[in-house]
Amino acid sequence: MRGEAAWFRLLAAAARLEMALKYNPRWHLQPRVPAGNPGGGRWTDGGGGTGSGAMGQDEAPVLQRSADRKRSIIKDTPAVFEVEANSEANGSKPIYELHEMNEVFEHAVDILKEASAQDVDHRLVMAIVYMKTTHGYYDRLHPRPKTVLPMNVHVSYWLGFGWSREDLQVPATNIRAGVTLLKRISERVKEPTVAKVATLYNNLSAEQVSGYGARVQKIYEEEPWWDL
């Protein structure tokens, strides 16, 4: 029975991926801006540009308080968020991370569509979805959790965007909200990396890369969602 379940899971994943490929059939071959550069990981036309972000960081104020960062993200105002690298951040897999609970393929179509629409690295979105669904699966048991999967968007914290709980319970809207947050965070991070952006996605007050950010970086590099 376990073997049959794995086979049906593989068939379902293949079907979802086939649907996703209709939106960008060459997404896995299309060149991306190198990680660590402004706009790192985003799809590019291969012309060699790295992009400079929409915020104009040279003239933007540096914000370190979470309330100020939150206001800048919601109102979409120029800002710089400084997050230091942290060699001691532990990105290893914790025992409670359950690969079987990951929902990356389940939401692959919406992830690829929204990442493309907002010019955000789809692998970063997939890494966040993988992290959230393999770590936060217990939220499914709560009748009214503070955050909503698959991207674990905090309902009350981001109320300023106008997203209701009912909105965020729709997977496509939830992913659109999460991608919006990732885009606005990455535009404001000084010398952005996957680890820095993920750290702030989890904790907007952070001033150095956390274990959470380091784990997302590891997931991003390893792409474990392909392990069916």
Side-chain angles (χ1 to χ4, degrees):
M1 292 180 64
R2 181 177 299 178
E4 289 182 358
W7 175 244
F8 283 119
R9 179 178 171 82
L10 176 60
L11 290 178
R16 288 190 289 270
L17 184 57
E18 182 179 9
M19 289 180 62
L21 291 175
K22 293 180 181 179
Y23 295 98
N24 188 353
R26 295 178 60 80
W27 63 272
H28 61 299
L29 299 176
Q30 194 168 341
R32 293 188 296 269
V33 177
N37 292 292
R42 296 177 181 174
W43 287 328
T44 179
D45 59 7
T50 59
S52 58
M55 292 297 100
Q57 289 191 352
D58 291 342
E59 301 176 358
V62 176
L63 304 179
Q64 295 302 103
R65 294 178 62 247
S66 59
D68 295 332
R69 289 175 170 181
K70 175 183 175 182
R71 188 178 303 110
S72 173
I73 289 173
I74 293 174
K75 295 184 177 297
D76 202 16
T77 57
V80 174
F81 302 165
E82 293 184 341
V83 181
E84 297 180 359
N86 180 11
S87 61
E88 296 183 1
N90 184 3
S92 59
K93 177 181 177 179
I95 59 173
Y96 53 81
E97 180 178 298
L98 297 182
H99 172 74
E100 295 76 11
M101 301 301 293
N102 100 81
E103 298 179 8
V104 173
F105 277 112
E106 181 176 343
H107 301 295
V109 174
D110 290 325
I111 291 171
L112 292 176
K113 284 176 62 178
E114 201 58 45
S116 179
Q118 296 200 45
D119 193 25
V120 172
D121 182 3
H122 65 279
R123 286 174 61 210
L124 172 58
V125 183
M126 288 179 171
I128 292 290
V129 170
Y130 185 92
M131 178 77 158
K132 293 299 188 182
T133 55
T134 60
H135 288 217
Y137 47 85
Y138 48 82
D139 281 350
R140 300 293 193 192
L141 303 177
H142 196 287
R144 197 172 177 83
K146 294 180 179 179
T147 57
V148 182
L149 293 171
M151 295 200 70
N152 228 40
V153 180
H154 198 294
V155 178
S156 62
Y157 191 80
W158 295 115
L159 193 61
F161 274 104
W163 304 318
S164 68
R165 177 178 297 275
E166 291 70 27
D167 291 335
L168 295 173
Q169 287 174 335
V170 178
T173 304
N174 188 288
I175 290 167
R176 184 177 304 118
V179 172
T180 298
L181 294 175
L182 288 174
K183 181 176 179 64
R184 295 194 181 183
I185 290 170
S186 62
E187 286 177 334
R188 291 161 173 78
V189 173
K190 186 175 182 180
E191 299 178 353
T193 64
V194 168
K196 290 181 180 180
V197 172
T199 292
L200 290 178
Y201 187 84
N202 179 247
N203 177 13
L204 203 53
S205 66
E207 297 185 4
Q208 67 175 2
V209 169
S210 64
Y212 178 98
R215 180 59 191 153
V216 172
Q217 175 79 54
K218 197 75 172 177
I219 292 170
Y220 177 92
E221 293 169 354
E222 296 177 349
E223 298 182 299
W225 50 84
W226 292 113
D227 182 10
L228 302 174

